[in-house]
Amino acid sequence: QKEVEQDPGPLSVPEGAIVSLNCTYSNSAFQYFMWYRQYSRKGPELLMYTYSSGNKEDGRFTAQVDKSSKYISLFIRDSQPSDSATYLCAVYTGTASKLTFGTGTRLQVTL
Amino acid sequence: EPEVTQTPSHQVTQMGQEVILRCVPISNHLYFYWYRQILGQKVEFLVSFYNNEISEKSEIFDDQFSVERPDGSNFTLKIRSTKLEDSAMYFCASSGGLDSPLHFGNGTRLTVT
């Protein structure tokens, strides 16, 4: 079983749609959860960083963590063409220094 | 906003040659990392570095790889004898603590011919 599973997409939505991106993880030792956005040939850019179960909101982005189900989500409201990118979930124990990434979901927001 | 910078953005080298990839982490960060991403694949951990020594490394990080913090600002990844399969994007990252998020640079695209 992979440590982090993420649907690779691609996911295509019209501008203004609500986007839901999801990951599951297998190891309950993971305590920190991140979402990164990666544009083509660029480095991962940190979008959201959460520790506890529940929701965290930042502008149009909401990160949701359910530790009991080992399930993390990123919601994007009012999606824009500039949101077109690959979205990577990443998990972290907080005691070991290794960040484990999902495969990334490629999102295309169309006009 | 402070950022991680990497040079060069693209490096082409012949198989068997040594390459050094350079990074300037965010200035007050204490933990430094190298990750790589082969085209079309996931971002993979290579090595973490803290207090002037390697704290963790993956099985990818074999004897051909080494890291160094030669001065107070730079963090380098050296590949001693490059192979074709070393072709990838190499990302440097830094963080302020073990429970802090990692901030990544824009990467160095390494092409081994």
Side-chain angles (χ1 to χ4, degrees):
Chain A
Q1 186 181 12
K2 291 182 184 175
E3 286 190 292
V4 183
E5 304 249 20
Q6 185 176 8
D7 187 336
L11 178 62
S12 183
V13 301
E15 184 179 6
I18 296 174
V19 176
S20 171
L21 304 165
N22 309 295
C23 282
T24 58
Y25 61 95
S26 57
N27 188 347
S28 57
F30 293 128
Q31 298 293 323
Y32 296 86
F33 310 94
M34 280 150 266
W35 284 96
Y36 287 86
R37 178 173 62 194
Q38 187 177 26
Y39 292 111
S40 181
R41 298 192 181 274
K42 295 288 188 184
E45 172 194 4
L46 181 69
L47 280 178
M48 301 289 282
Y49 171 65
T50 58
Y51 171 71
S52 54
S53 281
N55 292 352
K56 181 176 179 180
E57 192 173 313
D58 185 0
R60 295 185 296 111
F61 298 92
T62 299
Q64 190 174 79
V65 175
D66 182 346
K67 287 187 178 180
S68 62
S69 304
K70 300 190 185 68
Y71 194 83
I72 57 178
S73 301
L74 178 71
F75 299 97
I76 307 173
R77 286 185 301 283
D78 187 24
S79 55
Q80 304 293 309
S82 57
D83 295 328
S84 299
T86 297
Y87 289 80
L88 309 169
C89 64
V91 296
Y92 194 47
T93 63
T95 54
S97 48
K98 185 179 82 169
L99 194 63
T100 302
F101 282 90
T103 52
T105 299
R106 192 154 56 92
L107 171 68
Q108 180 75 35
V109 180
T110 57
L111 289 168
Chain B
E1 187 177 319
E3 57 181 24
V4 176
T5 56
Q6 290 185 244
T7 54
S9 57
H10 189 196
Q11 174 89 48
V12 181
T13 189
Q14 289 190 322
M15 199 167 52
Q17 295 296 304
E18 174 183 287
V19 293
I20 297 177
L21 310 183
R22 302 179 193 281
C23 170
V24 178
I26 293 172
S27 63
N28 62 346
H29 282 185
L30 302 174
Y31 293 81
F32 313 111
Y33 310 83
W34 284 100
Y35 285 76
R36 79 169 186 193
Q37 186 176 34
I38 294 170
L39 188 64
Q41 296 185 26
K42 63 194 296 186
V43 178
E44 300 175 289
F45 170 77
L46 290 178
V47 66
S48 58
F49 192 86
Y50 169 71
N51 201 24
N52 279 321
E53 61 184 27
I54 290 173
S55 46
E56 192 173 353
K57 61 183 180 180
S58 72
E59 58 244 22
I60 302 167
F61 194 88
D62 62 21
D63 292 343
Q64 293 300 311
F65 291 87
S66 61
V67 289
E68 195 177 34
R69 189 153 161 83
D71 53 44
S73 59
N74 290 284
F75 179 51
T76 62
L77 174 69
K78 183 194 288 187
I79 309 175
R80 254 179 283 280
S81 177
T82 50
K83 307 188 211 34
L84 294 175
E85 55 264 37
D86 293 328
S87 295
M89 285 289 286
Y90 287 80
F91 294 110
C92 174
S94 68
S95 70
L98 272 181
D99 59 354
S100 299
L102 275 65
H103 295 266
F104 286 80
N106 275 324
T108 293
R109 182 155 63 102
L110 176 66
T111 303
V112 182
T113 62

